[in-house]
Amino acid sequence: MHADTDTLYYICSVIQYEAFWLHVLVINALCARVFFSLQVTMALIRLLARLSGYVHLKQGLECLGASSQSKRLQQHTAAHSSSCSYQLQPDCLELSYGGLIMHFDYVWLRDHCRSTSCYNSKTNQRNLDTASIDLNIRPSKSRVDENNLFLTWPDGHITRYNLTWLAQNSYEGQKRSAVQPRILWSADIYSSAKVPSASWDKFMSCDEELKNFLNNFLLYGIAFVEGVPPTLEATETATQRVSLIRETMYGRMWNFTSDFSRGDTAYTKLALDRHTDTSYFQEPCGIQVFHCLRHEGTGGRTLLVDGFHAADAVLQRTPENFELLSHVPIKHEYVENLSEHRNHMIGIGPVLNVYPWNNEVYMIRYNNYDRSVINTVPHDEVRRWYVAHRQLTAELRRPDNELWVKLKPGKVLFIDNWRVLHGRESFTGLRQLCGCYLTRDDVLNTARSLGLQA
């Protein structure tokens, strides 16, 4: 049985692609300080040597080539990296790189040029006027090398794109990657992880301690600082280490005392069910901070539930319910009429907010107390929404998803209010609590400035 040149070319390209990723595997393992046994090491060396021989065969086959080139009229392959090839389609450029097939509109490619005349790398802002680009533009020349794609436009301007950058910023690349890494957790998962709290002294003076704190916060949606002086002022100082404090109609820092210790009979306040705060804001507060400054009594534990974990359970079991919860707009409302002031807040949005390109949940707006009249969808869809909402509620109320934490003086809790629901069990005695809301943008900005993905 004989194979033609194109078939052999394809086979060798596949082998070289596998060799490329085998190199990557070995390098990553060494970087991670994973050491192989002598037998495994020698086997890898022999395999790489054989693969290198096939790569040389492929390079020789390229020289045979006029007929093969005509068959691949607009197919282009990097001379030394068969893991990259591209094709100029009528309406877009198709790029195959690192096992990913991507498509780039020609206007997009011209608009995102990173040359000095088109982009200011110091301010990370575009210089090019997008409205000046011909919507029918198409490159007049193109080529690739091992790391870059080069496009020459009709006016002679040359755009150079790093292939890794294109893969990271393509629609196809974004579809299979998370905007923000996270660990979905139940009570057992979080407890078993033994996530450390930040130490107050190091937290305030050491950027590495702050980075570790924020990394835990991004992964789990909650994080703690221990050893904070039990005062309103110290709590404010700790929060400002992370972000600006968000001013709301409740003020900047809030501090309230509940005293149920008077009299002979202990008073027990009813527990609040799990919820997210400020669901009636058009943009709910991103982070909530709690610090129990004093408690002379019993009970009062804080309940925490990972809303993303519950949402993922709905997605895995009943995708159509997840779809409803992420698309049906619901109103939440807060009305307060007092002699000295009035408030009327309305926030509108689905219970689950997702990035449409990868279905990644970035916010859950769940508060059964403040949910307003459902009048934004027809009756047949309302019925299905109630079924979906009931399933999500059941997940949020599963006992194995409930993490109970006893707040005490010196222990400050940061909660991602877009992800983690909170509540409180009943308590007796005198209890003093302070806290505030933080601006989400500034928290994420602090995390990114420390090198974290957020």
Side-chain angles (χ1 to χ4, degrees):
M1 181 177 179
H2 299 282
D4 61 18
T5 303
D6 276 347
T7 302
L8 290 173
Y9 184 97
Y10 172 76
I11 293 172
C12 293
S13 296
V14 172
I15 291 173
Q16 184 178 358
Y17 174 76
E18 298 300 334
F20 169 78
W21 285 110
L22 185 55
H23 277 96
V24 172
L25 170 65
V26 174
I27 292 170
N28 286 343
L30 292 175
C31 291
R33 302 192 177 188
V34 175
F35 296 100
F36 302 113
S37 66
L38 178 61
Q39 292 86 349
V40 174
T41 303
M42 295 305 297
L44 284 172
I45 292 173
R46 287 194 296 272
L47 179 58
L48 286 171
R50 287 199 300 272
L51 289 173
S52 296
Y54 288 120
V55 170
H56 292 149
L57 171 62
K58 179 257 182 182
Q59 292 171 348
L61 288 170
E62 286 177 337
C63 299
L64 294 178
S67 61
S68 297
Q69 292 296 330
S70 63
K71 292 177 183 178
R72 295 183 298 275
L73 183 58
Q74 285 190 301
Q75 179 79 26
H76 307 267
T77 303
H80 304 290
S81 177
S82 64
S83 63
C84 170
S85 63
Y86 71 96
Q87 193 169 16
L88 298 175
Q89 303 282 8
D91 60 342
C92 68
L93 182 144
E94 181 180 289
L95 174 67
S96 176
Y97 177 70
L100 188 66
I101 298 177
M102 300 159 279
H103 298 84
F104 299 94
D105 183 274
Y106 294 124
V107 176
W108 187 98
L109 288 167
R110 184 64 188 91
D111 182 49
H112 289 81
C113 178
R114 281 339 193 215
S115 66
T116 54
S117 62
C118 298
Y119 187 76
N120 188 331
S121 59
K122 292 183 179 179
T123 63
N124 293 308
Q125 292 178 305
R126 182 180 281 101
N127 291 330
L128 177 65
D129 177 17
T130 303
S132 68
I133 302 173
D134 182 358
L135 294 179
N136 296 313
I137 197 169
R138 181 184 173 96
S140 56
K141 295 179 183 178
S142 60
R143 68 180 180 89
V144 291
D145 62 19
E146 289 185 337
N147 301 309
N148 301 284
L149 167 70
F150 297 87
L151 300 174
T152 302
W153 302 101
D155 62 358
H157 182 82
I158 298 175
T159 294
R160 178 178 66 85
Y161 279 117
N162 178 272
L163 295 173
T164 301
W165 187 92
L166 284 174
Q168 290 172 344
N169 290 280
S170 67
Y171 174 75
E172 293 81 1
Q174 289 293 307
K175 277 190 71 174
R176 70 178 193 180
S177 63
V179 174
Q180 179 181 309
R182 74 271 299 260
I183 297 174
L184 305 183
W185 52 268
S186 62
D188 283 344
I189 292 174
Y190 184 82
S191 299
S192 299
K194 299 187 183 304
V195 183
S197 298
S199 169
W200 160 254
D201 292 334
K202 290 181 65 178
F203 177 78
M204 295 304 301
S205 60
C206 174
D207 282 349
E208 192 63 28
E209 184 79 352
L210 175 62
K211 181 177 180 178
N212 291 335
F213 166 87
L214 286 170
N215 186 55
N216 291 331
F217 178 81
L218 293 173
L219 289 177
Y220 296 97
I222 55 174
F224 299 87
V225 181
E226 298 265 16
V228 181
T231 65
L232 180 71
E233 293 74 22
T235 307
E236 181 178 4
T237 300
T239 59
Q240 289 177 316
R241 174 75 167 133
V242 177
S243 164
L244 297 176
I245 296 174
R246 178 171 175 175
E247 187 87 38
T248 69
M249 62 185 181
Y250 305 113
R252 192 166 177 273
M253 293 289 299
W254 43 263
N255 180 16
F256 61 86
T257 301
S258 302
D259 189 357
F260 303 134
S261 60
R262 301 190 183 101
D264 297 329
T265 304
Y267 182 89
T268 303
K269 186 177 177 63
L270 294 177
L272 296 175
D273 195 15
R274 63 225 68 198
H275 63 281
T276 59
D277 266 20
T278 61
S279 56
Y280 40 79
F281 284 11
Q282 197 57 39
E283 182 183 296
C285 294
I287 287 85
Q288 186 162 15
V289 180
F290 287 116
H291 189 187
C292 183
L293 304 180
R294 181 184 176 192
H295 185 200
E296 299 170 357
T298 61
R301 290 182 305 165
T302 296
L303 168 64
L304 302 169
V305 178
D306 185 0
F308 290 178
H309 181 263
D312 185 66
V314 175
L315 173 63
Q316 299 305 322
R317 294 169 188 164
T318 320
E320 60 272 21
N321 285 348
F322 181 93
E323 180 78 9
L324 273 173
L325 293 172
S326 61
H327 284 86
V328 174
I330 298 295
K331 291 181 181 179
H332 289 78
E333 189 172 22
Y334 177 75
V335 180
E336 182 182 49
N337 292 313
L338 301 176
S339 57
E340 62 273 13
H341 66 270
R342 294 182 178 181
N343 289 307
H344 189 175
M345 308 291 289
I346 295 178
I348 303 175
V351 174
L352 302 178
N353 292 260
V354 303
Y355 296 121
W357 58 87
N358 65 356
N359 244 8
E360 177 183 346
V361 181
Y362 66 85
M363 180 173 72
I364 179 171
R365 189 194 296 250
Y366 184 98
N367 194 318
N368 204 51
Y369 308 106
D370 298 322
R371 185 162 44 79
S372 186
V373 177
I374 301 178
N375 53 16
T376 52
V377 290
H379 76 280
D380 57 336
E381 193 167 355
V382 166
R383 174 73 182 186
R384 292 186 294 117
W385 181 89
Y386 274 114
V387 172
H389 187 267
R390 183 69 52 85
Q391 183 183 7
L392 176 63
T393 299
E395 290 295 333
L396 292 169
R397 292 179 179 176
R398 285 170 59 96
D400 56 342
N401 286 333
E402 297 178 345
L403 179 67
W404 291 94
V405 178
K406 178 65 174 178
L407 296 183
K408 58 184 180 180
K411 186 173 187 174
V412 179
L413 167 62
F414 290 73
I415 301 174
D416 185 343
N417 188 55
W418 283 21
R419 170 181 178 178
V420 175
L421 287 72
H422 67 277
R424 173 189 44 73
E425 72 173 352
S426 56
F427 67 92
T428 65
L430 184 147
R431 189 170 185 259
Q432 183 182 3
L433 200 72
C434 78
C436 61
Y437 296 115
L438 304 184
T439 59
R440 187 176 190 83
D441 285 338
D442 288 286
V443 172
L444 299 181
N445 174 57
T446 303
R448 295 186 193 107
S449 68
L450 293 171
L452 296 172
Q453 182 181 341

